[in-house]
Amino acid sequence: MATFGNDPVLKADPSDARASNIRSAFQLVFPSGQMSRAEMGRRMGLSRMAIGKVVSEMLESHLLRELGMDERSGRGKRSVMLAVDPDGWRVVSLDLTARYMIRGALVDMCGHIVSRAEIPCEGMGNVRLKALDELCDRLLGESDQPILGLGVAVPGIVNSEGTVIRSVNLKWTNLALKEHIEKRLHVPAVICNDVNMGLLGECTFGRCSADSMFIKIDQGVGAAVCVDGRIVEGNAYSSGEIGHVVVDPKGKKCVCGKRGCLETVLSAPVLKKRIAKEPESRTAILAEAGQLLGKTLAMSVSLLDLSNISVSGPAEIVGDAFIGSMREELEADTVVDYRAPVALHRCEQGDDLVLLGQAIAVINGLVDSIHWKNVGGDEMSNPSTGSANAAGQRNMPNKKGD
């Protein structure tokens, strides 16, 4: 499961205290918060000496930075405030969901895009590893900071080992993508499902909470669910694959072989085609689609007691008619006197949402893997790659080819 967000009180894991403490301390100020050592130690349940040691290591490894004294007035000693160091490291993030291009970005440690690159392709089913490698090389070569890791968001089912079990759109089956990237580039890689990364981005920068659902309407229909701050992946890593849930047994045949799957009536191409044929019925078509999605999700919302739903999709589809009708259906099917209506909204984070979510997944997954060894000078090492300097000097542009 992937995680996000800040717990009010975070405890160290005795089995790996160092890694747990670094993750906890980082999350308390990520992406743009500020906190003193004393407050950080209080929230993590650590002594003054213990939190001092954790912070000292994170400052030395450029995960945190000191901002100066706090601005409070009155009596009492003022504290030095800590924040994420945005420029200590860079993350390479790739998004494979666009139909005719592969999109990539260099992202800082606060989740801000600092550089972009893209490579055109002939369609999603024609994405080749050679093009992926080329884009990775280009982005790695643009970084003046060491690379923490590289992430790829894939439209399909991805397991915990970074293998793409199946991507219908990309025509990939059992592709060991993480292994391919790490062997070729010697950079730690994190491979994730694209809709899960949309949810992670929305929870970090948007309006979703720790108990929420993210719906993506594009070439198909996908969902991601977050419960108690954890993204649910499922036993077969296919949680949220709602596009092939049958909503009309007598409906059109789907690419999966069944009839009347949700994406045969709710995907963006299907709705656009219907509207093009009947432009005068646009509002009615979208309202009908929103109502159907609301009815389809009502049981899941009640079962998991979700607080928020964010819907991402083309603006000409996911608008007032769609969202309004969906809200009415959800409220009619789920509202009871002891439960407030689920908060429903259109995702407003733009086309970079998946890229940013994937970058956050890399940061969350690798932030505790940095080690500094002061033996004959500072040396960075990353256990994800099993070699010294793997996440640092090895990926500095001026070191490539040495």
Side-chain angles (χ1 to χ4, degrees):
M1 293 184 182
T3 61
F4 76 94
N6 302 334
D7 291 334
V9 178
L10 298 164
K11 297 293 185 181
D13 180 356
S15 66
D16 189 358
R18 176 197 169 275
S20 178
N21 288 340
I22 287 176
R23 287 194 302 270
S24 297
F26 190 85
Q27 286 296 329
L28 284 171
V29 291
F30 178 82
S32 56
Q34 302 179 19
M35 193 172 291
S36 67
R37 287 171 173 81
E39 178 65 11
M40 192 174 282
R42 186 188 70 79
R43 294 205 187 190
M44 293 171 60
L46 297 179
S47 68
R48 181 177 178 181
M49 182 177 296
I51 192 61
K53 183 177 180 181
V54 172
V55 169
S56 178
E57 179 179 352
M58 294 179 73
L59 289 170
E60 191 174 21
S61 58
H62 300 285
L63 291 174
L64 297 180
R65 58 176 175 152
E66 293 184 333
L67 297 178
M69 308 300 286
D70 64 46
E71 298 180 355
R72 61 190 170 124
S73 58
R75 296 182 179 182
K77 185 178 179 182
R78 295 169 64 194
S79 301
V80 176
M81 303 303 288
L82 302 166
V84 174
D85 184 348
D87 296 321
W89 300 82
R90 290 285 185 260
V91 170
V92 174
S93 181
L94 273 61
D95 176 4
L96 305 187
T97 63
R99 192 167 186 181
Y100 295 109
M101 72 176 68
I102 308 173
R103 301 176 64 234
L106 274 176
V107 183
D108 71 18
M109 292 295 284
C110 289
H112 300 138
I113 292 176
V114 295
S115 179
R116 299 173 185 272
E118 59 186 42
I119 290 181
C121 58
E122 293 302 314
M124 293 187 75
N126 293 296
V127 173
R128 300 289 180 260
L129 287 181
K130 183 177 180 181
L132 198 69
D133 294 341
E134 181 184 338
L135 188 58
C136 291
D137 287 339
R138 187 187 305 178
L139 288 165
L140 289 169
E142 290 180 2
S143 180
D144 292 328
Q145 281 76 32
I147 300 296
L148 179 68
L150 188 152
V152 185
V154 178
I157 299 171
V158 182
N159 69 14
S160 59
E161 286 76 43
T163 296
V164 182
I165 301 300
R166 188 182 182 193
S167 175
V168 175
N169 289 337
L170 296 175
K171 299 180 181 178
W172 288 352
T173 301
N174 294 325
L175 175 65
L177 187 55
K178 174 182 169 70
E179 181 182 352
H180 168 82
I181 291 172
E182 292 186 343
K183 279 187 175 180
R184 182 181 178 275
L185 298 173
H186 305 286
V187 176
V190 178
I191 316 300
C192 300
N193 168 266
D194 65 309
V195 186
N196 284 347
M197 294 303 94
L199 173 58
L200 186 55
E202 179 70 13
C203 286
T204 305
F205 299 110
R207 289 186 276 166
C208 274
S209 69
D211 296 287
S212 55
M213 181 183 292
F214 178 79
I215 304 295
K216 185 178 181 182
I217 298 174
D218 198 357
Q219 299 302 308
V221 183
V225 178
C226 185
V227 177
D228 196 24
R230 298 173 69 85
I231 293 177
V232 180
E233 294 179 334
N235 184 57
Y237 306 98
S238 58
S239 175
E241 292 289 323
I242 64 171
H244 297 290
V245 172
V246 175
V247 294
D248 180 7
K250 297 181 180 180
K252 294 181 180 179
K253 191 170 183 179
C254 181
V255 292
C256 73
K258 300 194 295 287
R259 286 194 174 274
C261 290
L262 187 64
E263 74 173 40
T264 65
V265 292
L266 264 183
S267 68
V270 168
L271 290 174
K272 288 178 180 179
K273 187 175 181 179
R274 282 191 63 192
I275 292 169
K277 286 184 177 179
E278 304 175 65
E280 71 283 356
S281 302
R282 177 180 179 276
T283 299
I285 290 170
L286 295 177
E288 177 188 332
Q291 181 182 27
L292 176 60
L293 184 57
K295 184 173 289 293
T296 303
L297 299 179
M299 185 172 292
S300 297
V301 169
S302 294
L303 180 67
L304 299 173
D305 193 19
L306 300 178
S307 300
N308 314 87
I309 298 178
S310 178
V311 184
S312 173
E316 64 269 32
I317 290 175
V318 185
D320 290 342
F322 188 100
I323 293 292
S325 181
M326 184 179 174
R327 179 179 289 109
E328 288 178 5
E329 185 64 34
L330 279 169
E331 291 182 359
D333 293 348
T334 64
V335 172
V336 288
D337 57 3
Y338 54 83
R339 186 187 191 282
V342 63
L344 174 66
H345 64 274
R346 180 179 182 276
C347 177
E348 299 175 355
Q349 300 305 306
D351 294 338
D352 291 334
L353 183 64
V354 172
L355 274 177
L356 293 177
Q358 183 62 61
I360 294 164
V362 174
I363 293 170
N364 287 347
L366 299 175
V367 71
D368 61 359
S369 66
I370 301 166
H371 292 273
W372 284 73
K373 300 178 182 179
N374 294 310
V375 180
D378 289 336
E379 180 183 25
M380 287 170 285
S381 114
N382 189 318
S384 297
T385 62
S387 61
N389 286 343
Q393 269 190 323
R394 168 61 183 83
N395 298 318
M396 293 288 284
N398 60 346
K399 296 293 181 182
K400 290 183 72 176
D402 286 357

